[in-house]
Amino acid sequence: MSIRFDYNGATTQAVGRSHGVTVKELEGLRKRAKGIHEDLMRRRRKKELGFYDLPFDDVLVRAIQEYARGLRWAENFVVLGIGGSALGPICLHTALAHNYHNLLPAAKRRGRPRLFVLDNSDPEIVTRLLDAVDLKKTVFNVVTKSGATPETMSQLVVAVELIRRKIGPKALKKHIVATTDVSKGLLRPFCDAHELASFVVPDNVGGRFSVFTAVGLLPAAVEGIAIHRLLAGARDMAKRCTRSDLMRNPAYLNAAIHYLLDTRRGKTMSVMMPYSNALRDVADWYRQLWAESLGKAHDVHGRKAYVGQTPIKALGATDQHSQVQLYVEGPNNKVFNLVQTERFRARCPIPKSFRDIPELAYLQGHDMGALINAELDATEFALAKAKRPTVRFVLDSITPENVGGLLYLLEVQTAFAGGLYEIDAFDQPGVEEGKKATAALMGRSKAADLAKAAEIASVWRKKKSLRSL
Ligand code: PA5
């Protein structure tokens, strides 16, 4: 694993006193950092924070690999899941499978299934995928820790009904694999009743921290990603990210930089901008992690807090032609996480064939990888010139080890940032409220749902007085 964390661009030397952090300020957090570190480690030992130890679970890796080997008959592996139950699998797929995995002929996929993730209740994506795949060669991986999420459970019901009708009731066992809580939740009894293969989302791991459980690992292994290497990278990173000293721990340091820039310099937004298409969904995964973990109304003491930076996903160099104008000249309220890949997995030399167009001569003879990295340097330069703080993660290449390391770092960074903001980074009351309201609106009739439906109706009655066009 080779990941370097460079924070020069976030310092006052790079962007001035009003927009950068000083080493003194960072060192000023050292004592608090130690306390937060000790608290995290105590909760880790008490098995409250399960995400820390996931990369050390070899037994799970072997079980998943064995299951995946038995799936070569399948042409399609369809994940039904949303939020933390989808973003991990999507991120690993985009980063580590062939960029066009689903378009490759079976032989080039070495018989491994294509991967699809249905992470919405949009009827079009569901019905049209079901139209497009051969059901007899399709396996559905229903992923839901609670077993109660309406987007996922409605898709499961659709899939189950279709399998029963088109293949036969006994086929459920062959065509569905579940990833859910070990005993709680509504899905587990269904798995037991139909003897479905299943994997566990540990009780002490929340959805957005579950990429190294079967939630992320199973779909990845099925499409041929070397999950043991992914976890080896995470384990390696664990050594760096459990150092108690803030100044020697890249996860703590980046959390501290973000916290200081947010609370003292008004950088209320955190942009993640990898310069690599393969890493674009790392930014999407990070967006959920940072938003859902840190966006909280109350602190751990029960006081009103209303904290949380707004995370933004961007893609270099594509978004240089969409977002960077705003980033460089718009409000100076963002901190940028640039992600660099030193060596790409493919080379694409630009031939010297346009000799008659001298204006393009400068491109020719270079590899496209050099171009995209020059664009990253150029953007960092432009941001610094406009006094916008940046940090940079440098991956020597996109390997399972590096991706595992980067995701692990970002998880620890988020947990530690929760300590700095003094909020609970592991709950999501705002998401739960939306889930309850959806159930009430869809006619679930538990007492709490009826109360929620009445509450919604009263809010809507008041809204009637508002204008709409
Ligand atoms: O991070 C989280 O906890 C959420 O995003 C959940 O993953 C998401 O709401 C899906 O929940 P479940 O896995 O219970 O279906």
Side-chain angles (χ1 to χ4, degrees):
M1 196 238 346
S2 168
I3 300 179
R4 193 157 48 79
F5 174 62
D6 179 342
Y7 62 102
N8 284 297
T11 60
T12 50
Q13 285 98 321
V15 290
R17 294 193 73 79
S18 312
H19 300 289
V21 295
T22 61
V23 170
K24 203 169 159 206
E25 278 176 304
L26 287 168
E27 287 182 337
L29 285 178
R30 256 184 166 152
K31 204 165 153 226
R32 269 189 74 198
K34 206 146 192 301
I36 297 167
H37 170 79
E38 277 159 15
D39 183 52
L40 289 171
M41 292 303 109
R42 182 185 55 77
R43 293 170 70 192
R44 178 184 183 177
R45 281 192 301 276
K46 280 177 70 188
K47 306 268 177 237
E48 284 172 22
L49 303 181
F51 81 91
Y52 271 114
D53 294 309
L54 295 172
F56 300 86
D57 188 351
D58 288 338
V59 178
L60 175 66
V61 171
R62 280 197 294 275
I64 286 178
Q65 282 168 336
E66 197 185 321
Y67 177 83
R69 270 194 297 275
L71 270 200
R72 295 290 168 86
W73 60 269
E75 201 166 73
N76 311 295
F77 193 75
V78 181
V79 174
L80 313 176
I82 196 164
S85 293
L87 290 162
I90 294 172
C91 160
L92 297 181
H93 167 72
T94 314
L96 295 171
H98 186 288
N99 304 61
Y100 300 99
H101 175 83
N102 286 354
L103 294 181
L104 295 176
K108 279 202 166 178
R109 281 185 270 119
R110 298 208 274 152
R112 275 137 184 168
R114 301 180 294 183
L115 184 87
F116 302 94
V117 182
L118 293 182
D119 65 341
N120 205 351
S121 44
D122 177 339
E124 293 184 7
I125 61 160
V126 179
T127 49
R128 291 188 172 169
L129 181 74
L130 294 174
D131 272 355
V133 297
D134 178 349
L135 199 63
K136 291 207 171 97
K137 294 185 183 160
T138 300
V139 172
F140 295 91
N141 178 203
V142 54
V143 186
T144 167
K145 183 173 173 179
S146 62
T149 305
E151 295 87 345
T152 306
M153 293 311 275
S154 59
Q155 291 170 358
L156 175 66
V157 181
V158 170
V160 165
E161 186 52 27
L162 205 63
I163 295 166
R164 276 186 177 141
R165 216 159 19 86
K166 298 239 164 124
I167 316 180
K170 295 217 174 98
L172 292 183
K173 204 170 155 179
K174 182 174 175 196
H175 291 272
I176 299 180
V177 54
T179 308
T180 189
D181 193 273
V182 68
S183 58
K184 284 190 256 163
L186 306 177
L187 187 56
R188 188 51 67 186
F190 181 81
C191 296
D192 295 343
H194 296 278
E195 298 176 353
L196 301 185
S198 68
F199 291 89
V200 166
V201 188
D203 205 25
N204 57 2
V205 179
R208 56 193 176 273
F209 288 87
S210 69
V211 64
F212 298 126
T213 68
V215 172
L217 299 181
L218 177 61
V222 164
E223 61 175 344
I225 292 169
I227 56 172
H228 60 287
R229 291 178 55 196
L230 183 85
L231 297 190
R235 284 198 299 274
D236 240 21
M237 185 54 84
K239 289 183 210 138
R240 288 167 69 185
C241 292
T242 43
R243 293 175 187 154
S244 62
D245 183 359
L246 169 77
M247 301 304 285
R248 293 185 57 245
N249 181 324
Y252 291 2
L253 203 47
N254 202 27
I257 288 167
H258 278 66
Y259 170 75
L260 289 173
L261 289 175
D262 177 18
T263 56
R264 298 189 190 169
R265 306 285 190 277
K267 311 302 175 215
T268 56
M269 302 187 190
S270 166
V271 178
M272 176 165 286
M273 189 167 183
Y275 273 70
S276 144
N277 275 52
L279 299 178
R280 71 189 301 164
D281 290 324
V282 170
D284 203 17
W285 174 87
Y286 163 76
R287 191 169 68 121
Q288 185 211 18
L289 184 67
W290 204 241
E292 228 171 71
S293 303
L294 303 181
K296 298 290 152 72
H298 296 97
D299 67 15
V300 286
H301 314 289
R303 297 179 302 223
K304 295 257 186 256
Y306 299 116
V307 295
Q309 273 180 324
T310 302
I312 297 171
K313 57 175 175 172
L315 175 66
T318 306
D319 283 328
Q320 286 186 203
H321 305 271
S322 162
Q323 300 294 295
V324 167
Q325 171 60 34
L326 170 79
Y327 294 168
V328 172
E329 293 200 347
N332 192 345
N333 58 358
K334 302 173 191 69
V335 45
F336 297 87
N337 292 261
L338 305 171
V339 187
Q340 180 186 0
T341 304
E342 284 180 321
R343 279 190 318 282
F344 284 82
R345 292 166 294 188
R347 290 178 49 76
C348 187
I350 306 165
K352 295 183 181 167
S353 40
F354 279 15
R355 290 181 202 282
D356 45 339
I357 311 179
E359 290 82 358
L360 292 180
Y362 76 99
L363 291 173
Q364 301 177 35
H366 290 293
D367 193 85
M368 232 176 248
L371 173 62
I372 199 168
N373 275 325
E375 291 178 296
L376 187 158
D377 288 345
T379 298
E380 191 184 61
F381 164 77
L383 289 168
K385 197 169 165 192
K387 303 203 176 307
R388 319 282 151 135
T390 58
V391 298
R392 195 195 277 220
F393 292 101
V394 184
L395 278 57
D396 64 348
S397 63
I398 301 170
T399 59
E401 288 84 354
N402 282 343
V403 171
L406 181 61
L407 299 184
Y408 194 88
L409 184 157
L410 293 169
E411 287 184 341
V412 177
Q413 173 184 313
T414 305
F416 184 80
L420 289 171
Y421 284 103
E422 298 186 43
I423 51 92
D424 183 350
F426 301 97
D427 67 357
Q428 55 284 326
V431 178
E432 304 305 338
E433 177 67 15
K435 283 186 179 180
K436 284 181 209 150
T438 303
L441 288 170
M442 290 297 287
R444 196 172 69 177
S445 55
K446 286 184 184 169
D449 299 324
L450 299 177
K452 184 61 65 188
E455 184 190 339
I456 296 168
S458 97
V459 172
W460 279 0
R461 261 195 305 282
K462 282 188 205 132
K463 263 184 122 181
K464 276 201 176 146
S465 59
L466 301 175
R467 292 188 182 88
S468 65
L469 288 175

